[in-house]
Amino acid sequence: METATDIVLLALLAATAVGLVRIRNLFAVVMLAGIYSLLSAGLFTVLDAVDVAFTEAAVGAGISTVLFLGALALVGHREKKPTRTGRMQVLPLAVVLITGAALVYGTMDLPPFGDAANPVHHRVADHYLEETYHEIGVPNVVTAVLASYRGYDTMGETTVVFAAAVGVMLLLGGGARRRRGGAAPASESESE
Amino acid sequence: MMSELLSQVVGSYNYWIVVFLMMTGFYILISRGNLIKKLVGLNVFQTSVFMLYISLGKITGGTAPILVDDPEALYSNPLPHVLILTAIVVGIATTSVGLALAVRIKEAYGTVEEDEINEIEAGIDDRRAPGRAALRGP
Amino acid sequence: MREELVLRVGAKVLAPFIVAFALYVHFHGDYSPGGGFQAGVILVAAFVLLVLVYGLEAVQQVLPPRFVQACAAVGVLLYAGTGIVTMLLGANYLGYNVLAHDPEHGQHYGILLVEAGVLITVFGVMATIFYHLAGRGRSE
């Protein structure tokens, strides 16, 4: 059952991603990205990462969509039709196919999916699962690792989030300004 | 034996779809000129990396890493969950810096299409140094 | 959207429950999925809903932009300050065992303080970013 859900969700994610490439109306793209986030939240639940699923559903499908829509209201929601020549469209596809082939080759060496003997599941992970109840006393191991065992890490992340807010304030803080002195359209006509 | 084979296929399937999603995001990023679309592509790429991490942390037959009374319970690896949980929030914070940049670019150039911005920039360069336009040809 | 009675009443009824849910997610994070990151985002969602229905100006009177900006900084300070307090009490930076007589209780207090810092920062940051994107282009 778990396996079937996993397969279906991943197939839906792949289909959504193809839709994201093809659709040109940016409103539809942003809504589809919200669906993509919700599907991945479902996938995280199937893969036992309930905390991550919760975060992805709240952040990816919720706030992220709102922020994208807020930005779209300011920059317009039409994507221009690609005007590039044939060669310029083939090049990205070639790059992506070659990189993808290399990555698929790399997955051959990954440990088997879901095997409890994989090296990643031992050393620190064992310690967290066995000792959390005695050392920290909270049942949710993710919270214990997040706030206590790896508190430095989380503090760094919190600081990064704060720095992002400072960045947005610096970029958008000055109030809306007009295009700079009409210089841009004038130069456009000159270059033609 | 049959289920073993199936789980093997499913394991590779997870990784392959992750690679497919990663490359889709990468393709949007390098082939589309619209800055908002590029940010969506970055997000797709980013989420695929999250899926890779969470797939690596999964143990078949395991349960979510919230301790229960059963001493025989098998838990999935909590470490990738912690890393990805914080990465999601940092991801949206950095994405919003990208959105803010796109808004400022729209205000400065009147467009968020990469090629139009390049044209405007080229025009400005030509006015400052007319010789360069001649070098570039018609 | 100012005239939509159902939306106005619906949003007013829903918002407190969203805030309560955010606080539940935060304080129950030790026992179930949840914690400061998720709770902060859900808390912002309540105010985003109010902004969509009642407009930015009305919400900014309740939740001034300066206040949310201060929140973003206060959360980080609370997190880092917890580490300083544990250092002053003779433990390592962010070593919560010394916060109470019993190490396990100390861990509980430490996690609570640190998660509160995360909640306040995430709430402040997300609200600040939302205010800046939503308020752009209105003053023209």
Side-chain angles (χ1 to χ4, degrees), chain A residues 51 54-55 58-59 63 66 74 134-140 143 147-148 151-152 154-155 161-162 165 169 172 175 178, chain C residues 25 29-34 38 41 72-73 76 79 93-94 96 104 107-108 111 115 121 125 128 130 132-133 136 140:
Chain A
D51 278 276
F54 199 165
T55 317
V59 172
I63 293 295
V66 170
L74 296 171
H134 311 294
E135 288 182 359
I136 316 285
V138 300
N140 189 348
T143 303
S148 187
Y152 283 13
T154 311
M155 191 177 116
V161 172
F162 173 66
M169 277 157 63
L172 298 183
R178 309 282 306 163
Chain C
V25 167
D30 294 357
Y31 302 95
S32 62
Q38 294 94 329
V41 172
V76 176
Y79 202 131
Y93 192 73
L94 294 176
Y96 310 133
E104 204 174 286
Q107 288 285 345
H108 274 285
I111 289 177
E115 290 267 12
T121 298
V125 167
T128 304
F130 177 69
H132 275 92
L133 279 175
R136 195 77 176 169
E140 279 189 272

Side-chain angles (χ1 to χ4, degrees), chain A residues 123-192:
Chain A
R123 303 174 72 96
V124 284
D126 280 341
H127 178 88
Y128 293 153
L129 286 169
E130 280 158 20
E131 301 300 331
T132 290
Y133 207 78
H134 311 294
E135 288 182 359
I136 316 285
V138 300
N140 189 348
V141 183
V142 174
T143 303
V145 177
L146 181 93
S148 187
Y149 286 117
R150 291 191 166 241
Y152 283 13
D153 193 349
T154 311
M155 191 177 116
E157 309 270 15
T158 315
T159 316
V160 172
V161 172
F162 173 66
V166 174
V168 171
M169 277 157 63
L170 288 176
L171 282 167
L172 298 183
R177 237 181 283 162
R178 309 282 306 163
R179 298 166 62 169
R180 50 176 189 204
S187 63
E188 226 170 4
S189 58
E190 260 181 36
S191 64
E192 275 168 7

Side-chain angles (χ1 to χ4, degrees), chain C:
Chain C
M1 226 177 273
R2 299 291 164 89
E3 313 303 326
E4 294 283 350
L5 185 69
V6 175
L7 277 179
R8 290 176 73 93
V9 175
K12 204 178 258 182
V13 171
L14 271 177
F17 284 104
I18 299 177
V19 172
F21 180 62
L23 292 176
Y24 167 78
V25 167
H26 177 71
F27 288 108
H28 212 255
D30 294 357
Y31 302 95
S32 62
F37 284 106
Q38 294 94 329
V41 172
I42 294 172
L43 201 55
V44 174
F47 291 99
V48 169
L49 176 69
L50 289 177
V51 169
L52 291 180
V53 177
Y54 289 91
L56 194 63
E57 292 78 15
V59 175
Q60 283 191 340
Q61 283 176 353
V62 183
L63 195 71
R66 290 205 73 83
F67 174 75
V68 291
Q69 285 169 18
C71 273
V74 165
V76 176
L77 284 177
L78 182 58
Y79 202 131
T82 308
I84 304 239
V85 168
T86 58
M87 267 175 92
L88 290 179
L89 291 172
N92 287 331
Y93 192 73
L94 294 176
Y96 310 133
N97 283 356
V98 291
L99 285 175
H101 293 296
D102 182 30
E104 204 174 286
H105 289 175
Q107 288 285 345
H108 274 285
Y109 289 135
I111 289 177
L112 199 69
L113 282 170
V114 160
E115 290 267 12
V118 171
L119 169 83
I120 296 170
T121 298
V122 171
F123 169 69
V125 167
M126 292 301 160
T128 304
I129 294 171
F130 177 69
Y131 275 175
H132 275 92
L133 279 175
R136 195 77 176 169
R138 286 172 178 237
S139 49
E140 279 189 272

Side-chain angles (χ1 to χ4, degrees), chain B residues 60-73:
Chain B
T60 308
T63 178
I66 296 173
L67 300 174
V68 290
D69 280 336
D70 179 11
E72 291 299 305

Side-chain angles (χ1 to χ4, degrees), chain B residues 99-138:
Chain B
L99 288 173
L101 276 171
V103 168
R104 284 307 298 263
I105 288 172
K106 169 77 177 178
E107 285 169 4
Y109 291 92
T111 176
V112 287
E113 299 286 345
E114 204 177 34
D115 43 357
E116 291 176 9
I117 295 169
N118 282 339
E119 272 172 30
I120 294 171
E121 278 295 318
I124 292 171
D125 280 351
D126 291 346
R127 279 196 305 158
R128 286 205 193 118
R132 254 196 268 172
L135 277 178
R136 205 167 36 236

